[in-house]
Amino acid sequence: MFKTMGEDIRAVKERDPAAQGSFIIWLTYPGLHARWSHVIEHFLWNHGWCRLARVSSQFTRFMTGVEIHPGAVIGRRFFIDHAMAVIIGETTVIGDDVTLYQGVTLGGTGKETGKRHPTLQDNVLVGVGASVLGNIVVGENSKVGGGAVVVCDVPPNSTVVGIPGRVVMRDGMRVESEKKDAELHKENLPDPIEEQCDNLCERLEVLEREMAALRERSA
């Protein structure tokens, strides 16, 4: 447990530029508190103390704003930044070095049985307010943009945005244009809706020019 806490605190220092000393991180990061509570709750769940594990998880939810089902499997150096309103379902599997932001849901679709929650492989980042739903796999080193709703498998080394989520970057290249591009920052993820609006505006300008040309000819 103490080894886990030490690793998690070091992970916060590496990923959060606002992080201060280890003691402040230990004292003030509810995402870490929820993660550490889950370690105990998961142990209880696996050893037949399911009711106690559920009661403890609800207390953790009340204290931190993060709901992690005791049955979820979570790897090492897991970090929930600005933890609040995060939900992680029972059959979720999370790899190592995964980062979630506030408002993330790792949930089911309501139509599945058995393994009904997502699997996030190593080094996945899920942005603010995103939802990853159903028994799907988000490949390692992938990023899910803020507000995205992902319901299909995501290949490794990909960036997913939009509703429903679609891959716009893979292995450092744009999927649409196949042009090389630098690795995107989280705040600069491409927005497919904005791109479509830009295309419509360009088309409208073309139509306006054509209409103006027709008026000149008929005058």
CSV table of all heavy atoms in Angstrom, one decimal, residues 121-127 137-145 148 150 152-161 165-175 182-186 189-190:
chain,number,residue,atom,x,y,z
A,121,GLN,N,-6.1,0.5,-21.9
A,121,GLN,CA,-4.7,0.0,-21.8
A,121,GLN,C,-3.7,1.0,-21.3
A,121,GLN,O,-4.1,2.1,-21.0
A,121,GLN,CB,-4.3,-0.6,-23.2
A,121,GLN,CG,-5.2,-1.8,-23.6
A,121,GLN,CD,-4.7,-2.4,-24.9
A,121,GLN,OE1,-4.0,-1.8,-25.7
A,121,GLN,NE2,-5.2,-3.6,-25.2
A,122,ASP,N,-2.5,0.7,-21.2
A,122,ASP,CA,-1.5,1.5,-20.6
A,122,ASP,C,-1.4,2.9,-21.2
A,122,ASP,O,-1.5,3.0,-22.5
A,122,ASP,CB,-0.1,0.9,-20.6
A,122,ASP,CG,0.0,-0.4,-19.8
A,122,ASP,OD1,-1.0,-0.7,-19.1
A,122,ASP,OD2,0.9,-1.2,-20.0
A,123,ASN,N,-1.1,3.9,-20.4
A,123,ASN,CA,-0.8,5.3,-20.8
A,123,ASN,C,-1.9,5.9,-21.6
A,123,ASN,O,-1.7,6.7,-22.6
A,123,ASN,CB,0.5,5.3,-21.7
A,123,ASN,CG,1.1,6.6,-21.7
A,123,ASN,OD1,1.1,7.4,-20.8
A,123,ASN,ND2,1.7,6.9,-22.9
A,124,VAL,N,-3.2,5.6,-21.3
A,124,VAL,CA,-4.3,6.3,-21.9
A,124,VAL,C,-4.7,7.5,-21.2
A,124,VAL,O,-4.6,7.6,-19.9
A,124,VAL,CB,-5.5,5.3,-22.0
A,124,VAL,CG1,-6.8,6.0,-22.3
A,124,VAL,CG2,-5.3,4.2,-22.9
A,125,LEU,N,-5.1,8.6,-21.9
A,125,LEU,CA,-5.6,9.8,-21.3
A,125,LEU,C,-7.0,10.1,-21.7
A,125,LEU,O,-7.3,10.0,-22.9
A,125,LEU,CB,-4.7,11.0,-21.7
A,125,LEU,CG,-5.0,12.4,-21.0
A,125,LEU,CD1,-3.7,13.2,-20.8
A,125,LEU,CD2,-5.9,13.2,-21.9
A,126,VAL,N,-7.9,10.4,-20.8
A,126,VAL,CA,-9.3,10.6,-21.1
A,126,VAL,C,-9.6,12.0,-20.6
A,126,VAL,O,-9.5,12.3,-19.4
A,126,VAL,CB,-10.2,9.6,-20.5
A,126,VAL,CG1,-11.7,9.9,-20.9
A,126,VAL,CG2,-9.8,8.2,-20.8
A,127,GLY,N,-10.0,12.9,-21.5
A,127,GLY,CA,-10.2,14.3,-21.2
A,127,GLY,C,-11.5,14.6,-20.5
A,127,GLY,O,-12.4,13.7,-20.2
A,137,VAL,N,-12.3,-1.6,-26.0
A,137,VAL,CA,-10.9,-1.4,-25.6
A,137,VAL,C,-10.3,-0.1,-26.2
A,137,VAL,O,-10.4,0.1,-27.4
A,137,VAL,CB,-10.0,-2.6,-26.2
A,137,VAL,CG1,-8.5,-2.4,-25.8
A,137,VAL,CG2,-10.5,-3.9,-25.6
A,138,VAL,N,-9.7,0.7,-25.4
A,138,VAL,CA,-9.0,1.9,-25.8
A,138,VAL,C,-7.5,1.5,-25.8
A,138,VAL,O,-6.9,1.3,-24.7
A,138,VAL,CB,-9.3,3.1,-24.9
A,138,VAL,CG1,-8.5,4.3,-25.4
A,138,VAL,CG2,-10.8,3.4,-24.9
A,139,GLY,N,-6.9,1.5,-26.9
A,139,GLY,CA,-5.5,1.0,-27.0
A,139,GLY,C,-4.5,1.9,-26.3
A,139,GLY,O,-4.7,3.1,-26.0
A,140,GLU,N,-3.3,1.3,-26.1
A,140,GLU,CA,-2.3,2.0,-25.3
A,140,GLU,C,-1.8,3.3,-26.0
A,140,GLU,O,-1.9,3.4,-27.2
A,140,GLU,CB,-1.1,1.1,-25.0
A,140,GLU,CG,-0.5,0.6,-26.3
A,140,GLU,CD,0.7,-0.4,-26.0
A,140,GLU,OE1,0.8,-0.8,-24.9
A,140,GLU,OE2,1.4,-0.7,-27.0
A,141,ASN,N,-1.5,4.3,-25.2
A,141,ASN,CA,-1.0,5.6,-25.7
A,141,ASN,C,-2.0,6.4,-26.4
A,141,ASN,O,-1.7,7.3,-27.1
A,141,ASN,CB,0.3,5.4,-26.5
A,141,ASN,CG,1.4,4.6,-25.9
A,141,ASN,OD1,1.7,4.9,-24.7
A,141,ASN,ND2,1.9,3.6,-26.6
A,142,SER,N,-3.3,6.1,-26.2
A,142,SER,CA,-4.3,6.8,-26.9
A,142,SER,C,-4.9,7.9,-26.1
A,142,SER,O,-4.8,7.9,-24.8
A,142,SER,CB,-5.5,5.9,-27.3
A,142,SER,OG,-5.1,5.0,-28.4
A,143,LYS,N,-5.5,8.9,-26.7
A,143,LYS,CA,-6.1,10.1,-26.0
A,143,LYS,C,-7.6,10.2,-26.5
A,143,LYS,O,-7.9,10.1,-27.6
A,143,LYS,CB,-5.3,11.4,-26.4
A,143,LYS,CG,-3.9,11.4,-25.9
A,143,LYS,CD,-3.2,12.7,-26.3
A,143,LYS,CE,-1.8,12.8,-25.9
A,143,LYS,NZ,-0.9,11.8,-26.6
A,144,VAL,N,-8.4,10.5,-25.5
A,144,VAL,CA,-9.8,10.7,-25.7
A,144,VAL,C,-10.1,12.2,-25.4
A,144,VAL,O,-9.9,12.6,-24.3
A,144,VAL,CB,-10.7,9.8,-24.9
A,144,VAL,CG1,-12.2,10.1,-25.1
A,144,VAL,CG2,-10.4,8.3,-25.2
A,145,GLY,N,-10.6,12.9,-26.4
A,145,GLY,CA,-10.8,14.4,-26.2
A,145,GLY,C,-11.9,14.7,-25.3
A,145,GLY,O,-12.8,13.9,-25.1
A,148,ALA,N,-16.0,13.8,-25.6
A,148,ALA,CA,-16.2,12.7,-26.5
A,148,ALA,C,-17.0,11.6,-25.9
A,148,ALA,O,-17.0,11.4,-24.7
A,148,ALA,CB,-14.9,12.2,-27.0
A,150,VAL,N,-17.3,7.7,-26.6
A,150,VAL,CA,-16.6,6.6,-27.3
A,150,VAL,C,-17.4,5.3,-27.1
A,150,VAL,O,-17.6,4.9,-25.9
A,150,VAL,CB,-15.2,6.4,-26.9
A,150,VAL,CG1,-14.4,5.3,-27.7
A,150,VAL,CG2,-14.4,7.7,-27.0
A,152,CYS,N,-16.9,2.5,-29.5
A,152,CYS,CA,-16.2,1.5,-30.4
A,152,CYS,C,-14.7,1.4,-30.0
A,152,CYS,O,-14.2,2.3,-29.4
A,152,CYS,CB,-16.3,1.9,-31.9
A,152,CYS,SG,-18.0,1.9,-32.5
A,153,ASP,N,-14.1,0.3,-30.3
A,153,ASP,CA,-12.7,0.1,-30.0
A,153,ASP,C,-11.8,1.2,-30.6
A,153,ASP,O,-12.1,1.7,-31.7
A,153,ASP,CB,-12.2,-1.2,-30.5
A,153,ASP,CG,-12.8,-2.4,-29.7
A,153,ASP,OD1,-13.3,-2.2,-28.6
A,153,ASP,OD2,-12.7,-3.6,-30.2
A,154,VAL,N,-10.8,1.6,-29.8
A,154,VAL,CA,-9.9,2.6,-30.3
A,154,VAL,C,-8.5,1.9,-30.5
A,154,VAL,O,-8.0,1.3,-29.6
A,154,VAL,CB,-9.7,3.7,-29.3
A,154,VAL,CG1,-8.7,4.8,-29.7
A,154,VAL,CG2,-11.1,4.4,-29.1
A,155,PRO,N,-7.9,2.1,-31.7
A,155,PRO,CA,-6.6,1.5,-31.9
A,155,PRO,C,-5.5,2.1,-31.0
A,155,PRO,O,-5.7,3.3,-30.6
A,155,PRO,CB,-6.3,1.7,-33.4
A,155,PRO,CG,-7.6,2.1,-34.0
A,155,PRO,CD,-8.4,2.7,-32.9
A,156,PRO,N,-4.4,1.5,-30.8
A,156,PRO,CA,-3.3,2.1,-30.0
A,156,PRO,C,-2.8,3.4,-30.7
A,156,PRO,O,-2.9,3.5,-31.9
A,156,PRO,CB,-2.2,1.0,-30.0
A,156,PRO,CG,-2.9,-0.3,-30.2
A,156,PRO,CD,-4.1,0.1,-31.1
A,157,ASN,N,-2.2,4.3,-29.9
A,157,ASN,CA,-1.6,5.5,-30.4
A,157,ASN,C,-2.5,6.4,-31.3
A,157,ASN,O,-2.1,6.9,-32.3
A,157,ASN,CB,-0.3,5.1,-31.3
A,157,ASN,CG,0.6,4.2,-30.6
A,157,ASN,OD1,1.1,4.5,-29.5
A,157,ASN,ND2,0.9,3.0,-31.1
A,158,SER,N,-3.8,6.5,-30.8
A,158,SER,CA,-4.8,7.2,-31.5
A,158,SER,C,-5.3,8.4,-30.7
A,158,SER,O,-5.2,8.4,-29.5
A,158,SER,CB,-5.9,6.3,-32.0
A,158,SER,OG,-5.5,5.3,-32.8
A,159,THR,N,-5.9,9.3,-31.4
A,159,THR,CA,-6.7,10.4,-30.7
A,159,THR,C,-8.1,10.4,-31.2
A,159,THR,O,-8.4,10.3,-32.4
A,159,THR,CB,-6.0,11.8,-31.1
A,159,THR,OG1,-4.7,11.9,-30.6
A,159,THR,CG2,-6.8,12.9,-30.4
A,160,VAL,N,-9.0,10.4,-30.3
A,160,VAL,CA,-10.5,10.3,-30.6
A,160,VAL,C,-11.2,11.5,-30.1
A,160,VAL,O,-11.0,12.0,-28.9
A,160,VAL,CB,-11.1,9.0,-29.9
A,160,VAL,CG1,-12.5,8.9,-30.2
A,160,VAL,CG2,-10.3,7.8,-30.3
A,161,VAL,N,-12.1,12.1,-30.9
A,161,VAL,CA,-12.9,13.2,-30.5
A,161,VAL,C,-14.3,13.1,-31.1
A,161,VAL,O,-14.5,12.2,-32.0
A,161,VAL,CB,-12.3,14.6,-31.1
A,161,VAL,CG1,-10.9,14.8,-30.5
A,161,VAL,CG2,-12.2,14.6,-32.6
A,165,GLY,N,-17.5,9.2,-30.8
A,165,GLY,CA,-16.1,9.4,-31.0
A,165,GLY,C,-15.6,8.8,-32.3
A,165,GLY,O,-16.0,7.7,-32.7
A,166,ARG,N,-14.6,9.5,-32.9
A,166,ARG,CA,-14.0,8.9,-34.1
A,166,ARG,C,-12.5,9.3,-34.1
A,166,ARG,O,-12.1,10.3,-33.5
A,166,ARG,CB,-14.6,9.5,-35.4
A,166,ARG,CG,-14.4,11.0,-35.6
A,166,ARG,CD,-15.2,11.4,-36.9
A,166,ARG,NE,-15.0,12.8,-37.2
A,166,ARG,CZ,-14.1,13.3,-38.0
A,166,ARG,NH1,-13.3,12.4,-38.6
A,166,ARG,NH2,-14.0,14.5,-38.3
A,167,VAL,N,-11.7,8.4,-34.7
A,167,VAL,CA,-10.3,8.6,-34.6
A,167,VAL,C,-9.9,9.7,-35.7
A,167,VAL,O,-10.2,9.6,-36.8
A,167,VAL,CB,-9.6,7.2,-35.0
A,167,VAL,CG1,-8.1,7.4,-35.1
A,167,VAL,CG2,-9.9,6.2,-34.0
A,168,VAL,N,-9.2,10.7,-35.2
A,168,VAL,CA,-8.7,11.7,-36.1
A,168,VAL,C,-7.1,11.7,-36.2
A,168,VAL,O,-6.6,12.4,-37.1
A,168,VAL,CB,-9.2,13.1,-35.6
A,168,VAL,CG1,-10.7,13.2,-35.7
A,168,VAL,CG2,-8.7,13.4,-34.2
A,169,MET,N,-6.5,11.1,-35.3
A,169,MET,CA,-5.0,10.9,-35.3
A,169,MET,C,-4.7,9.5,-35.0
A,169,MET,O,-5.3,8.9,-34.1
A,169,MET,CB,-4.3,11.8,-34.3
A,169,MET,CG,-4.5,13.3,-34.6
A,169,MET,SD,-3.3,14.0,-35.8
A,169,MET,CE,-1.8,13.8,-34.9
A,170,ARG,N,-3.7,9.0,-35.8
A,170,ARG,CA,-3.2,7.6,-35.5
A,170,ARG,C,-1.7,7.6,-35.8
A,170,ARG,O,-1.3,7.9,-36.9
A,170,ARG,CB,-3.9,6.6,-36.3
A,170,ARG,CG,-3.6,5.1,-36.0
A,170,ARG,CD,-4.3,4.2,-36.9
A,170,ARG,NE,-5.8,4.3,-36.7
A,170,ARG,CZ,-6.7,3.8,-37.5
A,170,ARG,NH1,-6.3,3.2,-38.6
A,170,ARG,NH2,-8.0,4.0,-37.2
A,171,ASP,N,-0.9,7.1,-34.8
A,171,ASP,CA,0.5,7.0,-35.0
A,171,ASP,C,1.2,8.3,-35.4
A,171,ASP,O,2.0,8.4,-36.3
A,171,ASP,CB,0.9,5.9,-36.0
A,171,ASP,CG,0.5,4.5,-35.5
A,171,ASP,OD1,0.6,4.3,-34.2
A,171,ASP,OD2,0.0,3.7,-36.3
A,172,GLY,N,0.6,9.4,-34.9
A,172,GLY,CA,1.2,10.8,-35.2
A,172,GLY,C,0.8,11.3,-36.5
A,172,GLY,O,1.3,12.4,-36.9
A,173,MET,N,-0.2,10.7,-37.2
A,173,MET,CA,-0.6,11.2,-38.5
A,173,MET,C,-2.1,11.4,-38.5
A,173,MET,O,-2.9,10.7,-37.9
A,173,MET,CB,-0.2,10.3,-39.6
A,173,MET,CG,1.3,10.0,-39.7
A,173,MET,SD,1.7,8.8,-41.1
A,173,MET,CE,1.3,9.9,-42.5
A,174,ARG,N,-2.6,12.5,-39.2
A,174,ARG,CA,-4.0,12.7,-39.3
A,174,ARG,C,-4.6,11.6,-40.2
A,174,ARG,O,-4.1,11.3,-41.2
A,174,ARG,CB,-4.3,14.1,-39.9
A,174,ARG,CG,-4.0,15.3,-39.0
A,174,ARG,CD,-4.4,16.6,-39.7
A,174,ARG,NE,-4.1,17.7,-38.8
A,174,ARG,CZ,-4.9,18.1,-37.8
A,174,ARG,NH1,-6.1,17.5,-37.6
A,174,ARG,NH2,-4.6,19.2,-37.1
A,175,VAL,N,-5.7,11.1,-39.7
A,175,VAL,CA,-6.4,10.1,-40.4
A,175,VAL,C,-7.0,10.6,-41.7
A,175,VAL,O,-6.9,9.9,-42.8
A,175,VAL,CB,-7.5,9.4,-39.6
A,175,VAL,CG1,-8.4,8.5,-40.4
A,175,VAL,CG2,-6.9,8.7,-38.4
A,182,ALA,N,2.7,17.2,-35.6
A,182,ALA,CA,3.2,17.1,-34.3
A,182,ALA,C,2.2,16.5,-33.3
A,182,ALA,O,1.0,16.6,-33.5
A,182,ALA,CB,3.8,18.4,-33.8
A,183,GLU,N,2.7,15.9,-32.2
A,183,GLU,CA,1.7,15.4,-31.2
A,183,GLU,C,0.9,16.5,-30.7
A,183,GLU,O,1.4,17.5,-30.3
A,183,GLU,CB,2.5,14.7,-30.1
A,183,GLU,CG,1.6,14.1,-29.0
A,183,GLU,CD,2.4,13.4,-27.9
A,183,GLU,OE1,3.6,13.5,-28.0
A,183,GLU,OE2,1.7,12.9,-27.0
A,184,LEU,N,-0.4,16.2,-30.6
A,184,LEU,CA,-1.4,17.3,-30.2
A,184,LEU,C,-1.3,17.4,-28.7
A,184,LEU,O,-1.2,16.5,-27.9
A,184,LEU,CB,-2.8,16.8,-30.6
A,184,LEU,CG,-3.1,16.8,-32.1
A,184,LEU,CD1,-4.5,16.3,-32.3
A,184,LEU,CD2,-3.0,18.2,-32.7
A,185,HIS,N,-1.5,18.7,-28.2
A,185,HIS,CA,-1.7,19.0,-26.8
A,185,HIS,C,-3.2,18.7,-26.6
A,185,HIS,O,-4.1,18.8,-27.4
A,185,HIS,CB,-1.4,20.4,-26.5
A,185,HIS,CG,0.1,20.7,-26.6
A,185,HIS,ND1,1.0,20.3,-25.7
A,185,HIS,CD2,0.8,21.4,-27.6
A,185,HIS,CE1,2.2,20.7,-26.0
A,185,HIS,NE2,2.1,21.3,-27.2
A,186,LYS,N,-3.5,18.4,-25.3
A,186,LYS,CA,-4.9,18.1,-24.9
A,186,LYS,C,-5.8,19.2,-25.3
A,186,LYS,O,-7.0,19.0,-25.7
A,186,LYS,CB,-5.0,17.8,-23.4
A,186,LYS,CG,-4.2,16.6,-23.0
A,186,LYS,CD,-4.4,16.3,-21.6
A,186,LYS,CE,-3.8,17.3,-20.7
A,186,LYS,NZ,-2.3,17.4,-20.7
A,189,LEU,N,-7.0,19.5,-29.4
A,189,LEU,CA,-7.5,18.4,-30.2
A,189,LEU,C,-8.4,18.9,-31.3
A,189,LEU,O,-9.2,19.8,-31.1
A,189,LEU,CB,-8.3,17.5,-29.2
A,189,LEU,CG,-7.5,16.7,-28.2
A,189,LEU,CD1,-8.5,16.0,-27.2
A,189,LEU,CD2,-6.5,15.8,-28.8
A,190,PRO,N,-8.3,18.3,-32.5
A,190,PRO,CA,-9.2,18.7,-33.6
A,190,PRO,C,-10.7,18.5,-33.3
A,190,PRO,O,-11.0,17.5,-32.6
A,190,PRO,CB,-8.7,17.9,-34.7
A,190,PRO,CG,-8.0,16.7,-34.1
A,190,PRO,CD,-7.4,17.2,-32.9
